[in-house]
Amino acid sequence: MIGIDKIALHTRDFKPLDLTDRSVWGIASNQKQGSTGDIPTWVDSKGHTTQANSVYHNHELFNLTIDYKGCVISLNPSKIKHEYNLVSTGVELKETLSTIETEINKVCSLDFKNMSMTRFDLARNESLDFPISMYFGGLRLLRGKRSESRNEPEGFYIGNRTHQSIFYNKETGLKYSLGNSNFITPPNFMRAECRLMKSLSVKRYANGIRNINDLLELSPSDLDSAYRNYFNRVIFVRSKLGEQLKIDWNDEIQLFQSLKKDMPKGYFSYWLQLNSINTLMEQFGSIQSIKDFISSAELGESRSSVFRNLKKLEQLIALKGQLDKQRNVVTDASLLQEIKQRFVA
């Protein structure tokens, strides 16, 4: 199931109830070296004043921080219910958020359900066929649009400041966070997260939602669509053109055009025969770079020919992944195909 991971909310319209209660509020008054600015003064609903760069309240259900940017609340509705199972929209989410709102109102007055949603993470868990580390080679074939990609401890990251995705070993993450080496999860347990890090990204990729009220209007299938669309449109079909190319782009253009001249009815199929799918991905660096080559205006292909050739390429990649699995052949192509089928197909 696709469910909700982390949520962050922001508002400038708030009033803490009693900042003098140190059992409820912590303060941070540190100043950076060389800073000459005054430390802000915060006024609570009782008229008490507190000088601090920020004040915060850490609760088992949420974290609330007040600083010069406003009030930020972060929470994870799924983690409240289970260490790794995920919560989607519906009665369970509504009840969880209602409980959180009640607890927030005990320490700070604000309009919880209309706070601006500045972060929204969707995630999915899957038990894969092989140890998680074996999939990193396949994941390295992916490139996000205007994003960096890198290996992470027990995972692989693609992203930028506005949106991110990460594939990682959830079992290792749980053992690290819980400090319990005996914690039992399904075998080869991978999580793939879509992290929308700005309010504009949340609105763009998550069905236009702006706040909790909007979120509660969505169905589980709406979240499923948002998750799949993000990975299919941003991650599994994008790459930085030319990155990791092991061929000469112009030479390959000339070869393709020569085949087209000599074999006008079968040139594309012959080009594929000359290069196995594995060889193409090794040379071009990613599936999307192959697609970019096929779609290149330099080849002089008609729009219908480009569409037909791309379709044939996708069918061959999918077929190769299936054949590799049937033959027990493990390649980066077959592993990437398994990830795509499990998480977003």
Side-chain angles (χ1 to χ4, degrees), residues 184-226:
I184 298 175
T185 63
N188 307 319
F189 198 44
M190 178 182 278
R191 171 170 286 190
E193 294 180 6
C194 156
R195 299 174 177 175
L196 308 177
M197 308 294 291
K198 302 286 185 180
S199 57
L200 288 177
S201 297
V202 175
K203 188 176 180 181
R204 178 179 181 183
Y205 294 113
N207 301 77
I209 63 175
R210 299 161 297 171
N211 49 46
I212 293 295
N213 277 326
D214 289 345
L215 173 61
L216 293 174
E217 292 294 320
L218 299 183
S219 67
S221 63
D222 290 328
L223 293 190
D224 287 2
S225 296

Side-chain angles (χ1 to χ4, degrees), residues 214-248:
D214 289 345
L215 173 61
L216 293 174
E217 292 294 320
L218 299 183
S219 67
S221 63
D222 290 328
L223 293 190
D224 287 2
S225 296
Y227 179 90
R228 296 174 196 276
N229 288 341
Y230 175 80
F231 275 103
N232 280 321
R233 295 176 182 177
V234 179
I235 302 302
F236 282 98
V237 297
R238 297 287 186 181
S239 74
K240 294 179 180 177
L241 182 61
E243 184 167 300
Q244 294 186 347
L245 290 183
K246 296 182 180 179
I247 62 167
D248 185 292

Side-chain angles (χ1 to χ4, degrees), residues 11 13-17 45 104-111:
T11 184
D13 186 9
F14 60 91
K15 180 67 73 173
L17 299 188
S45 62
I104 290 171
N105 288 336
K106 293 178 182 179
V107 298
C108 191
S109 174
L110 48 76
D111 187 356

